[in-house]
Amino acid sequence: MVKFYNFNTSTFLSDGLILSRIANIFWILVAYVGTMLLQNIQKALFFQSIVFTFIIAIYILLYSFSHSLSHNRSWVYFIVQGSLIFISSFLVPKGSPVILLCLLPVLVAQSITIFQKSIKILIIFIAAYFLYGIVIWLNYGLQELPIFILVFFINLTIVNFYSVIFNRQVQASLRMEYYLQELETAHQKVEKLTLANERQRMARDLHDTLAQGLAGLIMQLEAVDAHLKNGNTNRSQEIIHQSMIRARETMRNARTVIDDLRTKSIEKTDFNCEVHRKIEEFTEATSIKVDYDLDPIAVLSNLIMEHSLYMISECLTNIAKHAQAQRVKIMVKKMNKYLIIKIEDDGVGFKTQTIGKYSGNYGLLGLNERVRLIGGKLEIHSFPFSGTKISITVPI
């Protein structure tokens, strides 16, 4: 049996987002430390540094809850975060390149994750570029702007490339979660269908072994009773001996159903010999005359052979139990790529509309199931007091 291992993609995805958020917070702290070092090396600003630290703390706090904050008010989130970066760059002007180069690309990368729309992302990108240019121009002068713009562009390209790759991984994980859920649903449906099919198979096999075997034994015992009444003890002993053999065979077949194995190797069975044997058993048990026309069929697959023999046996059992027939005709032919089985009796017949409507009568239902399993076609023609004709066509 195929086993599906429970792989929780939601947990995997959640863990990945948490790790990414922790990494970005660490990156913000690195930017904070770099900014403070660069500023204090050139000129120490005590009060501005305290305010800058407070602003970075607010920035990290907002970033930590960015998923919930940006869900309904995404533009407000980006304006607030951008404003905090802009204010910070003027509080520590000598360290502003570090804070700008580190935090603005992260903000643009967040816009890719949150918006996933090119127009909104482009607006954030232009705003970040414009903000960066204004701060560098005011803090370092216009002559330094080109080199800083180039550095910012390279940094932004690298960060956004990482962001695009990460978002693709997230989308792939979401698709994987969806497909796994669909696969699990399909697996549950297949499991239910498998159980239903297995129940049908067991019911069919039990019917074709125990029911048919016991029906044959009953017919043979009835024949023994008739011969004993007429004083024909020799014939009675012969039938009793045959009944003992049939009872043992029925027991073996029942065990194979329980063990889901076939004690009798179907590969070594000759199809025509088996059909002849079933006809002889039927004739001896019922004394009904059987006319048969059997083509020599050399090659049949194990599956088709097994089902075909059971179907012939089922038809003969039904005739013996219900038809009250005097004569039976059996034809087994191979025409082109089809196996044709036709069984006809001159019995009392029945209404075909009643098939499957009464509990306990499972023979014809099992016949139909077997035909369906081997891709065949079943036709039943019967009317009260007009006999029954059954035609089975199986592709081989």
Side-chain angles (χ1 to χ4, degrees):
M1 180 179 290
V2 179
K3 294 182 179 179
F4 290 87
Y5 293 93
N6 185 18
F7 176 74
N8 195 330
T9 312
S10 298
T11 303
F12 171 78
L13 182 59
S14 177
D15 291 344
L17 292 172
I18 292 173
L19 290 174
S20 175
R21 188 171 288 114
I22 292 173
N24 283 335
I25 291 175
F26 178 76
W27 177 252
I28 295 170
L29 293 175
V30 170
Y32 166 75
V33 173
T35 303
M36 291 293 289
L37 288 175
L38 187 61
Q39 175 63 50
N40 285 282
I41 288 173
Q42 299 186 44
K43 183 180 180 181
L45 299 172
F46 180 74
F47 177 75
Q48 289 89 332
S49 296
I50 294 175
V51 177
F52 173 69
T53 302
F54 179 72
I55 290 176
I56 291 299
I58 296 175
Y59 184 90
I60 292 175
L61 183 65
L62 291 175
Y63 176 80
S64 300
F65 296 95
S66 60
H67 179 71
S68 56
L69 293 174
S70 61
H71 184 67
N72 296 320
R73 297 181 176 85
S74 54
W75 282 112
V76 174
Y77 170 79
F78 283 104
I79 290 172
V80 171
Q81 292 291 74
S83 300
L84 292 175
I85 296 172
F86 188 75
I87 295 170
S88 298
S89 62
F90 286 109
L91 288 172
V92 283
K94 298 301 180 181
S96 59
V98 177
I99 201 70
L100 293 173
L101 290 171
C102 290
L103 297 191
L104 285 178
V106 172
L107 200 63
V108 175
Q110 273 190 285
S111 70
I112 296 175
T113 303
I114 293 172
F115 290 126
Q116 297 182 353
K117 293 182 179 180
S118 56
I119 296 177
K120 293 182 178 180
I121 295 171
L122 182 62
I123 293 173
I124 298 296
F125 175 82
I126 293 173
Y129 229 101
F130 179 77
L131 178 62
Y132 177 81
I134 292 295
V135 173
I136 295 299
W137 176 31
L138 294 176
N139 287 342
Y140 285 87
L142 193 60
Q143 69 279 0
E144 300 293 335
L145 190 60
I147 186 64
F148 278 107
I149 289 292
L150 179 62
V151 172
F152 178 72
F153 179 78
I154 295 172
N155 187 39
L156 189 63
T157 302
I158 294 172
V159 173
N160 287 336
F161 176 77
Y162 161 78
S163 177
V164 169
I165 296 298
F166 177 76
N167 282 325
R168 287 181 179 178
Q169 290 178 341
V170 170
Q171 293 300 321
S173 298
L174 290 173
R175 286 194 298 271
M176 183 187 298
E177 180 182 13
Y178 171 76
Y179 292 140
L180 283 174
Q181 290 174 349
E182 290 293 309
L183 187 60
E184 180 65 24
T185 302
H187 169 60
Q188 292 174 356
K189 291 180 180 178
V190 169
E191 196 171 51
K192 290 179 181 178
L193 290 174
T194 300
L195 291 174
N197 290 334
E198 186 65 14
R199 285 195 293 268
Q200 289 180 354
R201 185 191 68 81
M202 292 178 67
R204 183 173 60 247
D205 287 348
L206 286 171
H207 174 272
D208 292 342
T209 53
L210 291 176
Q212 287 185 7
L214 292 174
L217 288 173
I218 291 171
M219 288 186 293
Q220 288 178 324
L221 291 173
E222 289 174 346
V224 170
D225 182 61
H227 285 298
L228 288 174
K229 288 180 180 178
N230 295 327
N232 192 352
T233 57
N234 291 332
R235 181 56 181 161
S236 299
Q237 288 178 348
E238 291 177 4
I239 296 176
I240 289 172
H241 180 69
Q242 293 171 1
S243 299
M244 292 169 64
I245 295 174
R246 187 177 185 88
R248 293 189 183 97
E249 183 181 354
T250 301
M251 179 63 73
R252 286 197 301 270
N253 289 336
R255 285 173 178 168
T256 59
V257 171
I258 294 171
D259 297 335
D260 198 24
L261 297 170
R262 298 296 179 192
T263 302
K264 187 174 181 180
S265 178
I266 194 70
E267 292 87 348
K268 299 178 182 179
T269 300
D270 182 88
F271 180 71
N272 290 84
C273 290
E274 284 296 307
V275 174
H276 276 288
R277 186 176 67 83
K278 290 184 180 298
I279 292 173
E280 290 174 1
E281 290 177 352
F282 173 79
T283 303
E284 291 175 355
T286 63
S287 300
I288 298 175
K289 176 66 176 178
V290 178
D291 298 324
Y292 56 87
D293 181 11
L294 308 179
D295 279 356
I297 299 174
V299 179
L300 280 179
S301 69
N302 298 335
L303 183 67
I304 292 176
M305 186 184 300
E306 179 181 348
H307 284 295
S308 297
L309 290 173
Y310 272 123
M311 288 187 292
I312 292 172
S313 180
E314 174 61 30
C315 290
L316 292 176
T317 301
N318 286 339
I319 291 171
K321 290 168 61 177
H322 307 295
Q324 302 176 25
Q326 300 298 318
R327 203 172 193 89
V328 175
K329 294 181 181 179
I330 298 177
M331 185 191 76
V332 178
K333 296 284 186 181
K334 182 180 179 183
M335 300 178 63
N336 297 325
K337 296 182 179 180
Y338 293 92
L339 176 67
I340 311 295
I341 301 173
K342 292 185 178 181
I343 300 176
E344 180 181 349
D345 67 71
D346 60 355
V348 297
F350 63 96
K351 294 181 180 180
T352 56
Q353 296 87 348
T354 62
I355 296 175
K357 292 185 177 180
Y358 300 103
S359 62
N361 299 324
Y362 302 118
L364 293 177
L365 290 177
L367 195 68
N368 185 63
E369 288 177 4
R370 287 191 181 276
V371 172
R372 178 178 55 81
L373 287 172
I374 54 179
K377 181 181 178 182
L378 172 67
E379 294 181 0
I380 301 176
H381 300 282
S382 184
F383 297 95
F385 310 107
S386 299
T388 302
K389 297 179 181 178
I390 294 178
S391 177
I392 300 169
T393 305
V394 179
I396 55 175

